[in-house]
Amino acid sequence: MDHLLIRGGRRLEGQVAIEGAKNAALPMCVAPLLTDEPVRLHRIPHLRDVDTILSTISSLGKKITYDGDTVEISCGGALRSEAEPRYVQQMRASFLILGPLAARLGHAIVPLPGGCTIGRRPVDLHLEGLRAMGARIEEFPDRVVVRAEKLHGARISFSHPSVGATEHLLMTAALIRGETQITNPSKEPEIGDLISLLRKMGAHIVVERMSIRINGSEHLHGAEHTIIPDRLEAGTYLLAGAITGGEVQVTGVEPEHLRSVIEVLRKAGMSITESSETIRLLAEQRAEPGHIVTAPYPGFPTDLQPPLVALLCLGKGESLVEEQVFESRLAYTHSLNRMGGRIKVTGRKAIIAGVNTLVGAKVPAPDIRAGGALILAGLAAEGETVIYYPEHIDRGYASIEQKLALIGARIERGE
Ligand code: EPZ
């Protein structure tokens, strides 16, 4: 069975070059559905999720041309309005094709994404927004059918600053004449990056304090864009340096995108130095205990909650981590407890009593970020750790065993 084998106990030391952001790349691979002209994306990360989204839009009629870490998405013939279930069910971000297809073709059929290990993950905010724009949507247990002969601008207000719903409606509104206003949008850096691509494609977008205004156009053109660095990959490697008592520098990053993470790491006693595009962490002590609450940007990112909990397992004293974004994103902690962690979960709260050592174990990676947390625990544990289902980890971390081995980890992939 595919697995990662880690022999723990090594300090990590060295530099890690950070990829383009997965969560910016995915919507940007959907945006070319809005035009027949070529869109070139530089710094595309080599990840399973990117392969999946590119297969999805290729199955809809787009032509994909790779050139190193640049991908060109161009017209490959008439667009299809129905996506194949196997892609959307593999990865929920494929659901974002619904609005752009409906705006382009006047109709679309897209499978409903499933929930996953971190929560139910409904798409009600996506559908409400599309309906406000004039789309007629029929919901079936496994798919949604959209009729959208004449979409129009709308005023949309989110009860929750959903990242995916913001991206979905931004892209759809970009192709609609008239103004759409989204109040309480997500403010993640990946949204800003998508906005800069859509502007290059011809959409007029104004970002205000509590809303985004989009004046779309019936014709958008091709563009070229370099994707922002992946703050989640960068944060994971900094936490790997912290948990192993090492010294790790991440390069090609935007420190501002990691402000809340840097603050938490400094409060945990890590010494951090920044330059315009690097962050260096030196761990001279075990992590101080803390109380961290995940929140939409600029709060502490939910996607770094699992790697942070791994660090706090070997921290001093007792820490409290509250997961405020997803309703069930603490299930993975039982695997950390099997490695000697002492984590008590009640609802969205995890109380972590720091221990002196973790011990290697055989554990499953349930999703991308929990998989990252288990790797970090294995790097610091005594003995061997085997992590099954590494394909979940490959969805969000490119060449993780190679990058970790380059900074001293004893990690290899086996069958
Ligand atoms: C994006 O997921 C990211 N994925 C997630 O990263 C990330 O954890 C999440 O944003 C939060 O930052 C991508 O960008 C591909 P949401 P998304 O819509 O868009 C509720 C990773 O590991 N909600 O902001 O699905 C939802 O249930 C992944 O890289 C509704 O209620 O996140 C959740 O509780 C994991 N109705 C909360 O909002 C909706 O219509 C946040 O969801 C939509 C969302």
Side-chain angles (χ1 to χ4, degrees), residues 22-23 121-125 160 162-164 303 325-326 369:
K22 167 179 85 78
N23 292 348
R121 304 185 79 178
V123 288
D124 54 314
L125 297 176
H160 174 92
S162 157
V163 174
D303 294 331
V325 176
F326 286 104
R369 309 301 173 183

Side-chain angles (χ1 to χ4, degrees), residues 22-24 26-27 49 91-93 96 116 118-127 159-167 186 188 190 231-232 295-297 301-303 324-327 329 348 367-369 395-396:
K22 167 179 85 78
N23 292 348
L26 295 179
D49 273 7
M91 183 193 58
R92 59 181 291 103
L96 300 186
C116 66
I118 61 177
R120 221 168 34 83
R121 304 185 79 178
V123 288
D124 54 314
L125 297 176
H126 299 240
L127 300 182
S159 54
H160 174 92
S162 157
V163 174
T166 303
E167 293 164 344
S186 162
E188 314 290 295
E190 294 76 24
R231 60 195 169 101
L232 303 171
Y297 194 86
T302 174
D303 294 331
Q324 289 305 314
V325 176
F326 286 104
E327 72 272 22
R329 193 172 200 170
R348 291 176 179 241
D367 61 64
I368 304 174
R369 309 301 173 183
R395 291 185 51 192

Side-chain angles (χ1 to χ4, degrees), residues 223-242:
E224 191 149 5
H225 184 78
T226 299
I227 298 168
I228 56 169
D230 194 321
R231 60 195 169 101
L232 303 171
E233 183 192 26
T236 303
Y237 283 105
L238 290 174
L239 284 158

Side-chain angles (χ1 to χ4, degrees), residues 264-285:
V264 163
L265 287 169
R266 281 194 171 125
K267 278 193 190 140
M270 304 299 149
S271 92
I272 308 257
T273 46
E274 303 170 29
S275 77
S276 57
E277 55 173 40
T278 64
I279 303 171
R280 176 178 156 279
L281 174 141
L282 173 62
E284 293 167 307
Q285 61 161 80

Side-chain angles (χ1 to χ4, degrees), residues 175-240:
L175 205 57
I176 297 174
R177 282 175 67 78
E179 181 174 274
T180 294
Q181 181 186 27
I182 303 173
T183 304
N184 192 25
S186 162
K187 296 185 167 60
E188 314 290 295
E190 294 76 24
I191 301 287
D193 210 26
L194 176 62
I195 286 173
S196 61
L197 172 63
L198 292 172
R199 282 174 174 152
K200 289 177 184 174
M201 293 172 69
H204 297 283
I205 302 175
V206 174
V207 178
E208 297 167 333
R209 202 173 58 77
M210 282 307 289
S211 66
I212 301 173
R213 292 173 188 277
I214 308 104
N215 271 289
S217 139
E218 276 159 358
H219 174 72
L220 293 176
H221 44 78
E224 191 149 5
H225 184 78
T226 299
I227 298 168
I228 56 169
D230 194 321
R231 60 195 169 101
L232 303 171
E233 183 192 26
T236 303
Y237 283 105
L238 290 174
L239 284 158

